[in-house]
Amino acid sequence: MYLNRFVNGQGKYIDDIKMDNMLYMAIARSPYAHARIKNIKGGLNSSELKAYYTLDDHAMREPVLAIDEVNYVGQCVAAFFSENRYEAEDLVNTLEVDYEPLDAVASIDEALKHPPVRHGMKDNIMETEEIGKKFSEKDIDFDLKVSDSIFMDRVLANPMETRGIVADYRDGVLNVYISSQSVHRMKAGIMKALNLPEDKVNVYHVDTGGAFGLKALLFPEYIIACYASMKYKRPVKWIETRTEHLQSAHAGRGIMADITLYAKKDGRITGLDGTVYLDSGAYYADADKVDMGNVVHEVTGPYFIENAHLTAKYVLTNKSLNGYYRGAGKPEASIIMERMIDLLADRLNMDIADIRLKNATEKPFKSPLGLDMNYPTKPFLEAALKHFDYYNLSKKEKLGISLFILDEDTAPGESCRIHVKDGRVHVYFGGDVSGQGHELFTQEILSNEFGIDKNLISLEYDDTVTLKDGTGTWGSRSGITHTSVLMKTAEIIKNDVIKKFGKYDSKLLLENEFNEYYYYKIDYNANSVNFNMVSCDINDINSIKVYAYYDLGKVINRKNVLGSIHGGSLQAISETLCETMRYSDDGQLITNNIADAGLLTADRIPEFNIELVENPSEFPSKAKGIGESPMIGIPSALARSIELQTKKRVTKFPIDDLKLFNKCMDL
């Protein structure tokens, strides 16, 4: 089968690309979290390349190469090039920089107290937004209120393959090969940063060894490599080291929330208010509005809460920038709400399931914060509790539960091209693959649609030449967008066969050439309701049991689904117990190798009890999303199981208990 090429070592990743006359790029990075650059000499620096790389023209956007100041450890200061990687790395040591160290802040708390670290600002709040409608206590009916602060430390994607790019300026056209989740987003960013016309940039996807949101983003190193290839008229390759990844790749989470719930004695929540702070890092990043937007719009989750208001604050710190990490604000929103509803249950001496049933919706509902809940959530919760026999099991095990909305990033849709040629079917998507197994559902669907052998179908590398438009792979969207556009495009191909021959026949399909492109437009984000239950024994870290009751719409390929649940669950457990990024008070990165980052390995996979529910969606494939569900549902449920045993409320992620960390890491 097509996937066997990975097993046989025949995948083609960025570092596998070799070109004649290639230059290797190495980056000189800031050793300071905050310092003024008084003088710089050597390499390609901002005296030559003054450019910015974000798609959003924000006043606080990051320059490609540091201009006048550095604002986090690992920031790009200069680039060096040589015939091999080792010589390029050696040249980094020739850079001469006169730094004047300045005060730095390395946490949300410290940034809120500290004088502004940037000129022209009155404080370290980059931006403030209000979401929902403000209300006063006299405006709502309540018997009690509960308040708490929830904190999620930063987490880095750490895919097996780090970032990388090959830029090849040839015959007046910049050809870019990249490890990415969207070649079209990369093209848009490169064009903007270097002021290049559309017909002068082509971007090509190659095999991507993991992404988790990180590779949906543009980075300064990509622009530097492209500029250098144009300057030297030679191919330029850059492959990120793991140390560089830890220092400068954009990190997710980094949220602090001060939340108050207002409720009646029977557990019905009548209001929610609070402030959410995002650790934006040293500059504005394109991910900021998405991450914060998901948090503040989705905090009410699957519950009917008529009054809700939040203040969102984007906080500047002297750290690498904020980025996407599997879920990008959705896990944060669920963790905040689920932890608060557990607190309310404890205050009212209610069962955690009963209080959720009290607040779950009995019909579709749009929250005051703007989240459309497309499905009633109470019947789903009732079915999940019954399926796992929660009320009996909770008498024997320390159970945590979570009910959550998976908001799927289906808008604005996706593109597909199907090219039938020489007896084979070649498929191209506008959203790139980073290990999710899109090949499996591509073969499954087209084998059924066309009535042909799966081995005659191959999913090809995406590029901006074959597909002029495309979106990307993220946000639990592929199971909906990619499968649906695939079916739509297949329908067009079948109609082409009928128009030409008067009937459809798979033999006629394969004996001729057909080439069709289609963009399936979706003007809204779909969503689904899901449920997790988790138990564990804190004296045996390998005892974790994950119960998942997930609505998949229609299961296209069970292997894909189970793989996503298993991998996502391990990631969720990891960031709940031990995975994080640590900084000193002056902004120096303490997590300076992958072992310190607290990643769990496959031998820590939990015990599973998974029920896949199939309530078909309105899309052509009838599918719903899955990729982010474990990351959203497991952390709060696991935290509840732990706090039932420790008798200590969990408000910080990862759970700041050295004994748990040591057990995870086998120290």
Side-chain angles (χ1 to χ4, degrees):
M1 286 180 64
Y2 183 62
L3 285 174
N4 284 344
R5 66 188 181 88
F6 295 110
V7 178
N8 295 329
Q10 295 173 344
K12 186 177 182 181
Y13 298 90
I14 284 294
D15 207 20
D16 294 323
I17 295 177
K18 295 177 174 58
M19 295 182 178
D20 292 339
N21 206 29
M22 179 178 279
L23 288 173
Y24 291 83
M25 182 174 85
I27 302 293
R29 300 180 182 275
S30 169
Y32 294 97
H34 193 199
R36 186 172 291 112
I37 299 175
K38 299 175 70 175
N39 186 46
I40 183 169
K41 182 179 179 181
L44 170 62
N45 59 60
S46 61
S47 64
E48 177 180 348
L49 177 58
K50 277 188 170 68
Y52 298 83
Y53 68 93
T54 58
L55 288 167
D56 193 314
D57 291 330
H58 196 280
M60 297 297 293
R61 59 186 174 153
E62 181 181 17
V64 168
L65 289 161
I67 300 172
D68 299 330
E69 275 190 1
V70 290
N71 288 288
Y72 64 93
V73 172
Q75 184 172 357
C76 296
V77 175
F80 293 84
F81 307 88
S82 189
E83 307 291 334
N84 67 66
R85 189 176 302 171
Y86 304 104
E87 289 180 0
E89 292 286 351
D90 288 342
L91 287 172
V92 167
N93 297 322
T94 67
L95 179 68
E96 298 176 17
V97 187
D98 184 8
Y99 289 109
E100 179 187 341
L102 301 170
D103 283 350
V105 294
S107 70
I108 293 173
D109 277 338
E110 186 61 27
L112 295 177
K113 302 171 190 171
H114 197 280
V117 293
R118 302 291 273 277
H119 302 298
M121 295 185 67
K122 63 178 182 179
D123 54 31
N124 291 311
I125 306 298
M126 183 168 56
E127 204 169 314
T128 299
E129 296 173 340
E130 301 283 332
I131 295 90
K133 185 179 179 181
K134 283 187 176 182
F135 61 87
S136 65
E137 293 187 359
K138 64 181 177 59
D139 297 327
I140 60 172
D141 182 21
F142 71 99
D143 296 319
L144 77 159
K145 61 181 180 180
V146 294
S147 301
D148 211 343
S149 294
I150 312 294
F151 177 75
M152 279 151 273
D153 215 341
R154 281 187 155 203
V155 181
L156 194 58
N158 270 309
M160 290 179 70
E161 180 202 35
T162 55
R163 295 178 290 152
I165 185 173
V166 171
D168 182 22
Y169 186 69
R170 193 181 298 268
D171 300 323
V173 176
L174 179 62
N175 297 288
V176 177
Y177 304 84
I178 196 163
S179 178
S180 167
Q181 291 171 253
S182 174
V183 292
H184 292 88
R185 177 179 278 190
M186 295 303 110
K187 177 172 178 172
I190 292 165
M191 287 167 50
K192 182 177 177 64
L194 296 176
N195 195 27
L196 296 172
E198 186 175 355
D199 62 347
K200 297 301 181 184
V201 181
N202 297 326
V203 181
Y204 300 86
H205 177 59
V206 296
D207 288 325
T208 295
F212 310 116
L214 175 84
K215 293 177 183 176
L217 297 165
L218 197 67
F219 288 94
E221 295 91 346
Y222 301 166
I223 306 304
I224 301 168
C226 290
Y227 176 85
S229 183
M230 296 171 67
K231 176 182 179 179
Y232 297 116
K233 305 293 191 293
R234 296 173 66 176
V236 173
K237 178 191 280 191
W238 174 70
I239 302 295
E240 181 185 47
T241 67
R242 186 61 62 177
T243 298
E244 288 179 305
H245 183 79
L246 292 165
Q247 285 185 336
S248 58
H250 297 183
R253 308 295 186 255
I255 287 285
M256 184 174 78
D258 297 327
I259 301 293
T260 298
L261 292 185
Y262 299 85
K264 299 293 289 179
K265 290 179 181 178
D266 64 359
R268 182 170 57 90
I269 301 169
T270 57
L272 177 150
D273 198 7
T275 302
V276 179
Y277 303 89
L278 172 66
D279 187 341
S280 291
Y283 298 91
Y284 172 88
D286 290 328
D288 278 7
K289 288 298 174 74
V290 175
D291 284 354
M292 180 67 95
N294 284 340
V295 175
V296 296
H297 287 105
E298 298 185 22
V299 157
T300 53
Y303 306 112
F304 184 86
I305 303 175
E306 293 186 274
N307 301 284
H309 168 266
L310 287 172
T311 302
K313 292 182 179 287
Y314 300 80
V315 182
L316 281 173
T317 60
N318 292 112
K319 295 191 286 193
S320 60
L321 279 60
N322 170 67
Y324 302 137
Y325 179 60
R326 200 168 185 173
K330 302 168 195 177
E332 295 93 309
S334 180
I335 289 168
I336 292 167
M337 188 66 226
E338 295 297 285
R339 290 280 63 221
M340 291 304 298
I341 206 168
D342 283 343
L343 178 62
L344 180 60
D346 289 342
R347 191 69 57 87
L348 292 170
N349 197 28
M350 287 183 69
D351 186 280
I352 57 173
D354 291 342
I355 198 166
R356 285 170 169 81
L357 287 167
K358 188 72 178 178
N359 290 283
T361 65
E362 300 194 51
K363 59 183 179 180
F365 173 68
K366 183 166 184 173
S367 83
L369 300 176
L371 175 64
D372 281 305
M373 288 175 279
N374 300 332
Y375 312 94
T377 59
K378 185 174 182 178
F380 187 87
L381 176 56
E382 289 172 333
L385 294 169
K386 182 179 179 181
H387 178 81
F388 292 128
D389 195 18
Y390 163 79
Y391 288 103
N392 282 323
L393 192 60
S394 63
K395 297 173 184 175
K396 307 170 189 174
E397 298 185 25
K398 302 297 186 183
L399 295 176
I401 63 173
S402 66
L403 181 68
F404 63 93
I405 295 292
L406 173 60
D407 189 30
E408 301 141 342
D409 297 346
T410 46
E414 194 52 271
S415 64
C416 175
R417 183 177 295 279
I418 297 178
H419 190 183
V420 183
K421 184 179 180 181
D422 300 329
R424 293 193 60 84
V425 178
H426 306 271
V427 180
Y428 305 82
F429 286 128
D432 300 327
V433 181
S434 53
Q436 303 94 327
H438 290 38
E439 300 89 345
L440 290 172
F441 69 64
T442 298
Q443 292 178 328
E444 188 96 15
I445 289 174
L446 288 190
S447 176
N448 291 331
E449 292 289 321
F450 289 151
I452 62 176
D453 188 279
K454 293 180 182 179
N455 293 314
L456 298 176
I457 303 163
S458 57
L459 180 60
E460 309 295 344
Y461 298 123
D462 302 355
D463 63 73
T464 58
V465 178
T466 305
L467 293 168
K468 295 296 183 183
D469 296 299
T471 305
T473 298
W474 51 70
S476 300
R477 69 191 313 269
S478 300
I480 300 171
T481 56
H482 291 51
T483 56
S484 293
V485 73
L486 183 66
M487 294 177 75
K488 287 284 190 181
T489 314
E491 185 180 341
I492 297 171
I493 292 280
K494 288 170 75 175
N495 286 334
D496 288 347
V497 176
I498 294 170
K499 287 176 186 177
K500 187 170 183 177
F501 298 105
K503 64 175 183 177
Y504 177 78
D505 185 275
S506 60
K507 186 176 180 182
L508 293 172
L509 171 75
L510 296 173
E511 287 178 348
N512 293 273
E513 182 172 353
F514 300 92
N515 190 353
E516 291 287 359
Y517 164 88
Y518 185 74
Y519 193 100
Y520 180 58
K521 294 181 180 179
I522 307 173
D523 60 3
Y524 66 98
N525 281 349
N527 60 45
S528 58
V529 57
N530 294 283
F531 173 86
N532 269 119
M533 186 165 76
V534 179
S535 71
C536 75
D537 178 350
I538 59 171
N539 295 311
D540 180 6
I541 210 63
N542 293 318
S543 67
I544 296 172
K545 297 177 186 176
V546 170
Y547 302 79
Y549 193 83
Y550 291 164
D551 182 4
L552 272 293
K554 178 183 177 182
V555 177
I556 304 298
N557 187 287
R558 190 174 178 86
K559 287 182 180 178
N560 266 18
V561 168
L562 293 178
S564 186
I565 294 173
H566 293 166
S569 297
L570 189 61
Q571 281 183 283
I573 292 167
S574 184
E575 72 166 302
T576 304
L577 298 182
C578 50
E579 190 172 347
T580 189
M581 299 290 293
R582 302 288 191 193
Y583 293 83
S584 66
D585 291 342
D586 60 353
Q588 288 294 321
L589 181 66
I590 297 171
T591 310
N592 54 22
N593 64 67
I594 197 167
D596 292 338
L599 280 70
L600 295 182
T601 49
D603 60 329
R604 299 298 192 186
I605 205 80
E607 180 182 330
F608 288 101
N609 188 330
I610 299 170
E611 178 67 13
L612 303 181
V613 182
E614 295 190 89
N615 296 316
S617 72
E618 66 273 27
F619 298 99
S621 66
K622 308 300 181 187
K624 295 177 184 175
I626 182 59
E628 297 162 321
S629 286
M631 301 295 283
I632 300 172
I634 289 175
S636 57
L638 177 56
R640 177 63 177 181
S641 178
I642 290 170
E643 78 178 7
L644 286 173
Q645 297 169 75
T646 62
K647 309 299 183 184
K648 295 178 181 177
R649 174 146 170 88
V650 174
T651 58
K652 187 177 184 300
F653 294 79
I655 299 172
D656 200 11
D657 186 321
L658 186 60
K659 292 180 181 178
L660 281 177
F661 181 88
N662 287 347
K663 288 175 183 176
C664 289
M665 297 292 102
D666 279 336
L667 295 179

